[in-house]
C-alpha cells in the first residue's frame, strides 16, 4: 500500500512521561477510499489519557497525543464512503481500525478484542507509520466503520464522553443483564462511574454508589443512585455485605477490591473497568465463598457503541461536564488525580485554533 498524502494539523502532546502536554503539530492523512475526515469540536478527558500520557501502562511512545472521546463535524469523505457526508455530526471513540474481514471477534461486533485492533491513540498507524494520535487535535481521519452517528437532540459537548465513559459502563451493565430486581453497586463516582449510575438507573436496577468523597453524596443521588455509601466508613460498608448481584468497579487507583467482593451475594459478579497502574491482590476465599466471579470489560464494539448513543438520544442521557480550554489540560489532569471532576472535563477544541 502506498503511503497516503499527509497534512499537518495542530495538536497537544506529551514529549515524555514527566512532561506536561504542550502545543505541537501532527500529520493526518488525506482521506483514502473509506475514510472520513472530521473537524474535532469537543474531546472528553478520560483518566486513561492521563495513564497513557504518563506511561503508567508501559506502552506509550512519544510524542503522545491522548483523547478518545471525540465529536465533531465531517469535513471530507473518501469516494467509497456511504455512511457520512460533509456537514454531518460524527463521533470517534477508542478504536480506529481492525481487520474486519478475517477476525472472528470483529465479525461478532467485538472489535475491541481483536488482536488487530488499533487504538485511537498509542496504536500502530498502518497508513502513516508510527503511533496513532488521539483527539487532542484539530481533526482526525478514520475509516467509516469506526465512525459513529451522534444523536442530534443532545448537547454535543456532553455527548463526547459517551464515546468512552458511556460505552465502557453501558456494555458490562448490558452483558451482566442489569435491570429490574437487581441490586447494583458502582464504585468510584468519576467520569465512568457517573455514567454507570445513569445507565444502571435507566435499566431499572436498584443503584448504590460507593465513593471515597463525602462531598459527592448529594450528586450521587441526583445522578440516579438510590443509596450512597462512603467507603471509608466501615459501618456503612458492613450494612451492605453479601447483598449485591453486580458491582462495577470504576476506580483509577490502588484500592481494596476484596472489600467489594465481600459485598456480593452468592453468584454475584464484580467487573473491573478501572485500570490502575499496579496489580490488585485478590483473596481466593473472597471468590470461593459464594461462587462469586471477578471479570473485566473493555469499552464496547462499534455496533454496541452506536446502540448506546441511540439509547442516550432516546432517553435524553448525556454526561455532566466541565468545559475547559486546551491549555488547561495539565491543570485538569492534576484535578482528576484529586478526584475533583464533576464529572468529566471536555475540551472545547476551538481553543486550539
Ligand atoms: P476518574 O474520572 O478520575 O474517576 C475515578 C474515580 O475513582 C474517582 O473520581 C474516585 O471516585 C475514585 N478514586 C480515585 N482514586 C481512588 C482511590 N485511591 N481509592 C478509591 N477510589 C478512588 O476516572 P475515569 O475516567 O472514570 O476512569 C476510571 C478508570 O477506568 C481509569 O483507570 C481508566 O483508565 C479506566 N478506563 C477503563 C476503560 C475500559 O475500557 N475498561 C475505559 C475507560 C477508562 P470517588 O471520589 O467517588 O471515590
Ligand atoms: Zn477512555
Amino acid at each position: 500500500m502506498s503511503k497516503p498524502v499527509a497534512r499537518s494539523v495542530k495538536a497537544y502532546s506529551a514529549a515524555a512521561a514527566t512532561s506536561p502536554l504542550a502545543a505541537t503539530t501532527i500529520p493526518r492523512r488525506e482521506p483514502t477510499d473509506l475514510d472520513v475526515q472530521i473537524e474535532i469540536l469537543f474531546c472528553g478527558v478520560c483518566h486513561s489519557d492521563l495513564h497513557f500520557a504518563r506511561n503508567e501502562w508501559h506502552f506509550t511512545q512519544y510524542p503522545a497525543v491522548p483523547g478518545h472521546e471525540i465529536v465533531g463535524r465531517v469535513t471530507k469523505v473518501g469516494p467509497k464512503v456511504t455512511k457520512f457526508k460533509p456537514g454531518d455530526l460524527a463521533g470517534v471513540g477508542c478504536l480506529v481500525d481492525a481487520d474486519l474481514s478475517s477476525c472472528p471477534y470483529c465479525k461478532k461486533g467485538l472489535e475491541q478484542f481483536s488482536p488487530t485492533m488499533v487504538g485511537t491513540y498509542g496504536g500502530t498507524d498502518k497508513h502513516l507509520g508510527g503511533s496513532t494520535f488521539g483527539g487532542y487535535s484539530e481533526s482526525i481521519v478514520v475509516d467509516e466503520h469506526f465512525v459513529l452517528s451522534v444523536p442530534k437532540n443532545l448537547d454535543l459537548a456532553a455527548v463526547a464522553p459517551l464515546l468512552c465513559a458511556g460505552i465502557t459502563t453501558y456494555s458490562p451493565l448490558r452483558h451482566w443483564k442489569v435491570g429490574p430486581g437487581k441490586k447494583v453497586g458502582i464504585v468510584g463516582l468519576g467520569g465512568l462511574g457517573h455514567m454507570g449510575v445513569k445507565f444502571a438507573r435507566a435499566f431499572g436496577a436498584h443503584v448504590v454508589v460507593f465513593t471515597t468523597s463525602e462531598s459527592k453524596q448529594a450528586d450521587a443521588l441526583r445522578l440516579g443512585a438510590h443509596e450512597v455509601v462512603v467507603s471509608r466508613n466501615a459501618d456503612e460498608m458492613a450494612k451492605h455485605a453479601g447483598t449485591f448481584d453486580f458491582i462495577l468497579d470504576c476506580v483509577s487507583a490502588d484500592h481494596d477490591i476484596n472489600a467489594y467482593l465481600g459485598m456480593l451475594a452468592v453468584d454475584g459478579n464484580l467487573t473491573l473497568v478501572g485500570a490502575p497502574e499496579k496489580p490488585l491482590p485478590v483473596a481466593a476465599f473472597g471468590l470461593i465463598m459464594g461462587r462469586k466471579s471477578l471479570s473485566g470489560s473493555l469499552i464496547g464494539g462499534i455496533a454496541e457503541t452506536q446502540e448506546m448513543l441511540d439509547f442516550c438520544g432516546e432517553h435524553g442521557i448525556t454526561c455532566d461536564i466541565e468545559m475547559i480550554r486546551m491549555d488547561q489540560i495539565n491543570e485538569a489532569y492534576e484535578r482528576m488525580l484529586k478526584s475533583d471532576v464533576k464529572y468529566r472535563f471536555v475540551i472545547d477544541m476551538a481553543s486550539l485554533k
Side-chain angles (χ1 to χ4, degrees), residues 11 14 38 62 77 99 102 105 139 189-190 221 243 281 288 328 340:
I38 299 163
Y62 295 94
V77 297
D99 186 353
S102 64
Y105 296 111
S139 64
L189 197 63
L221 298 173
T243 62
I288 293 170
Q328 292 175 301
D340 175 24

Side-chain angles (χ1 to χ4, degrees), residues 119-140:
T120 302
Y121 54 76
T124 302
D125 186 331
K126 72 181 186 196
H127 300 271
L128 298 177
S131 187
T132 50
F133 295 124
Y136 296 2
S137 57
E138 276 183 286
S139 64
I140 191 164

Side-chain angles (χ1 to χ4, degrees), residues 58-348:
H58 313 290
F59 69 81
T60 308
Q61 288 178 26
Y62 295 94
V65 178
H68 57 203
E69 296 184 334
I70 298 166
V71 290
R73 198 168 287 288
V74 175
T75 42
K76 210 191 257 189
V77 297
K80 294 190 180 160
V81 168
T82 57
K83 278 169 60 187
F84 295 93
K85 58 181 189 319
D88 287 349
L89 291 177
V92 177
C94 305
L95 305 173
V96 290
D97 218 328
D99 186 353
L100 302 171
S101 56
S102 64
C103 167
Y105 296 111
C106 290
K107 286 180 186 161
K108 284 193 222 164
L110 296 171
E111 297 91 340
Q112 75 272 32
F113 301 128
S114 171
T116 63
M117 171 272 268
V118 179
T120 302
Y121 54 76
T124 302
D125 186 331
K126 72 181 186 196
H127 300 271
L128 298 177
S131 187
T132 50
F133 295 124
Y136 296 2
S137 57
E138 276 183 286
S139 64
I140 191 164
V141 179
V142 180
D143 182 299
E144 69 167 338
H145 178 83
F146 297 90
V147 182
L148 287 307
S149 293
V150 170
K152 294 190 183 66
N153 58 323
L154 302 177
D155 173 27
L156 192 62
V159 163
L162 296 175
L163 275 303
C164 176
I167 184 59
T168 300
T169 50
Y170 181 94
S171 182
L173 291 169
R174 282 294 196 216
H175 179 79
W176 289 94
K177 302 191 171 34
V178 161
K182 297 277 166 80
K183 183 172 174 185
V184 171
I186 305 288
V187 188
L189 197 63
L192 266 55
H194 94 290
M195 290 314 302
V197 172
K198 291 188 187 201
F199 286 132
R201 179 69 189 244
F203 298 165
H206 182 88
V207 184
V208 182
V209 164
F210 292 94
T211 179
T212 59
S213 308
E214 282 191 32
S215 62
K216 292 181 183 172
Q217 288 180 93
D219 280 349
L221 298 173
R222 177 182 58 77
L223 291 163
H226 296 91
E227 298 177 68
V228 194
V229 176
V230 176
S231 51
R232 299 187 200 280
N233 182 325
D235 291 341
E236 279 188 52
M237 290 288 276
K239 274 188 221 155
H240 290 272
T243 62
F244 283 85
D245 298 292
F246 180 75
I247 295 177
L248 191 64
D249 183 329
C250 305
V251 176
S252 50
D254 203 12
H255 63 292
D256 179 13
I257 59 166
N258 298 303
Y260 294 102
L261 291 173
M263 296 286 156
L264 294 173
V266 171
D267 284 330
N269 171 268
L270 186 151
T271 291
L272 287 174
V273 284
E277 180 182 7
K278 297 201 179 79
L280 299 166
V282 177
F285 274 95
L287 294 169
I288 293 170
M289 303 303 284
R291 199 167 48 192
K292 298 170 184 177
S293 61
L294 172 63
S295 331
S297 188
L298 176 69
I299 48 169
I302 296 298
E304 194 177 38
T305 305
Q306 191 62 60
E307 176 192 306
M308 178 275 309
L309 288 168
D310 296 346
F311 181 90
C312 289
E314 278 160 35
H315 294 83
I317 294 175
T318 51
C319 306
D320 287 30
I321 64 164
E322 179 179 337
M323 194 88 83
I324 59 167
R325 294 187 316 271
M326 189 69 256
D327 64 8
Q328 292 175 301
I329 189 66
N330 296 303
E331 189 190 323
Y333 279 8
E334 292 312 312
R335 281 185 53 195
M336 191 150 64
L337 284 174
K338 292 183 199 141
S339 303
D340 175 24
V341 192
K342 293 191 171 167
Y343 279 86
R344 195 58 136 190
F345 291 120
V346 170
I347 308 161
D348 178 359

